[in-house]
Amino acid sequence: MSIQTVGIIGAGTMGNGIAQACAVAGVKVVMVDIAQAAVDKGLATVSGSLDRLIKKEKLTAQQKTAALAMIQGSTNYEDLKGAQLVIEAATENYELKLKILKQVDAMLAPEVIIASNTSSISITKLAAATSRADRFIGMHFFNPVPMMALVEIIRGYLTSDATHDAVKALSVKLGKSPITVKNAPGFVVNRILVPMINEAFFVLSEGIATAEDIDAGMKLGTNQPIGPLALADMIGLDVCLAVMDVYLEEYGDSKYRACPLLKEMVAAGQLGRKTGRGVYQY
């Protein structure tokens, strides 16, 4: 199955990033959100992002015009009907995703593939809410989507090979490097990343090294572009804590217990960049 048109539900950070990646690769996009203001903001974000690529001489003005012409903004789910793949990129809220998926599932032709860009919710569980579990898959893009090469393609329990292969082929067409993952809490990257961040908090709380030295050590010793504590501030300490709590509950293994210092900082409202103070001050 060849995917010519992609529907995207959600014009926020992830949605407009996916729209840009598709449009630049010459894939038609229908980007839907509930409010016209959200759609306009999403389109403006794409335009601004393409302008930055022109400045860096990675894109020409003509290519920008061509890419923007590939994106149709809409507030009407009916406009998704021409797509061969619809990607749900709404807020990370199970009830909301369920409501959206049931609505589009009832409307789309049976052969259309539905994907979710969820970073934490079970693909098998989301697929079960639709009538097409074999044509349901996870497509976990990483932020910022236009820059990050990785897509985690997550197979639910009933995802078919044909669905997997079509979505993998599209990911490659978008210039991404996909990896195939079984459905499990945290998938691959976040399953490894968030416990590493948690461990950095244990090292900090035990006074083994300063925050600056922990981050410098990981950057210089493992070639990471950003240290784990600075990354936690970027992600949000509350988000890191919530993810650890999910792992502890889902896997039932004490190795996923959140560091008490992380809990304390979240309780104090020091959540990172978004509050101006986390491990570091902003």
Side-chain angles (χ1 to χ4, degrees):
M1 180 191 187
S2 172
I3 297 165
Q4 310 296 331
T5 303
V6 173
I8 298 170
I9 300 166
T13 306
M14 296 308 288
N16 68 56
I18 299 166
Q20 179 180 328
C22 290
V24 168
V27 177
K28 278 188 188 161
V29 177
V30 180
M31 183 171 67
V32 178
D33 210 310
I34 45 171
Q36 189 59 47
V39 174
D40 293 343
K41 190 181 172 192
L43 291 168
T45 302
V46 173
S47 181
S49 175
L50 294 172
D51 282 338
R52 284 193 293 280
L53 290 174
I54 292 171
K55 256 187 196 156
K56 290 178 185 169
E57 295 183 351
K58 288 184 177 177
L59 207 70
T60 65
Q62 288 89 337
Q63 285 173 310
K64 177 195 169 175
T65 306
L68 287 177
M70 299 297 279
I71 308 173
Q72 175 196 347
S74 172
T75 55
N76 187 357
Y77 277 11
E78 291 288 319
D79 289 336
L80 296 168
K81 282 186 172 175
Q84 292 83 44
L85 165 71
V86 172
I87 303 170
E88 170 277 307
T91 314
E92 198 69 349
N93 174 311
Y94 177 64
E95 298 303 330
L96 174 68
K97 286 187 187 291
L98 223 52
K99 187 183 157 198
I100 290 169
L101 292 171
K102 282 180 175 168
Q103 199 174 332
V104 293
D105 177 55
M107 191 194 74
L108 296 171
E111 66 275 9
V112 178
I113 297 170
I114 300 180
S116 175
N117 179 54
T118 180
S119 56
S120 65
I121 300 167
S122 163
I123 295 301
T124 301
K125 204 169 164 185
L126 290 174
T130 73
S131 62
R132 61 187 84 210
D134 59 326
R135 287 180 304 291
F136 193 97
I137 199 161
M139 262 188 112
H140 181 213
F141 289 85
F142 286 74
N143 192 20
V145 179
M147 311 308 293
M148 300 290 274
L150 181 66
V151 180
E152 285 183 317
I153 298 176
I154 303 112
R155 299 187 69 139
Y157 187 63
L158 297 172
T159 303
S160 72
D161 289 345
T163 298
H164 167 269
D165 295 350
V167 167
K168 186 176 181 180
L170 174 74
S171 302
V172 172
K173 188 178 179 179
L174 301 186
K176 303 299 181 193
S177 303
I179 63 169
T180 300
V181 180
K182 268 193 197 163
N183 184 56
F187 312 134
V188 168
V189 176
N190 288 337
R191 164 93 179 261
I192 297 166
L193 177 70
V194 184
M196 181 193 78
I197 288 171
N198 191 52
E199 197 60 33
F201 275 94
F202 273 114
V203 172
L204 180 65
S205 70
E206 289 163 25
I208 293 168
T210 64
E212 289 80 3
D213 282 353
I214 292 166
D215 278 352
M218 290 304 287
K219 278 164 71 178
L220 300 170
T222 63
N223 215 10
Q224 295 180 18
I226 182 171
L229 297 170
L231 183 58
D233 276 355
M234 212 157 95
I235 295 167
L237 271 54
D238 52 338
V239 176
C240 295
L241 176 59
V243 172
M244 286 305 295
D245 288 346
V246 167
Y247 293 172
L248 186 62
E249 189 186 334
E250 295 280 337
Y251 291 111
D253 189 328
S254 64
K255 75 178 177 184
Y256 296 113
R257 75 192 190 287
C259 174
L261 175 62
L262 177 60
K263 288 183 174 179
E264 275 289 278
M265 290 175 78
V266 171
Q270 290 188 4
L271 309 181
R273 286 181 184 231
K274 59 186 169 189
T275 58
R277 181 77 203 263
V279 176
Y280 301 101
Q281 202 141 6
Y282 297 93

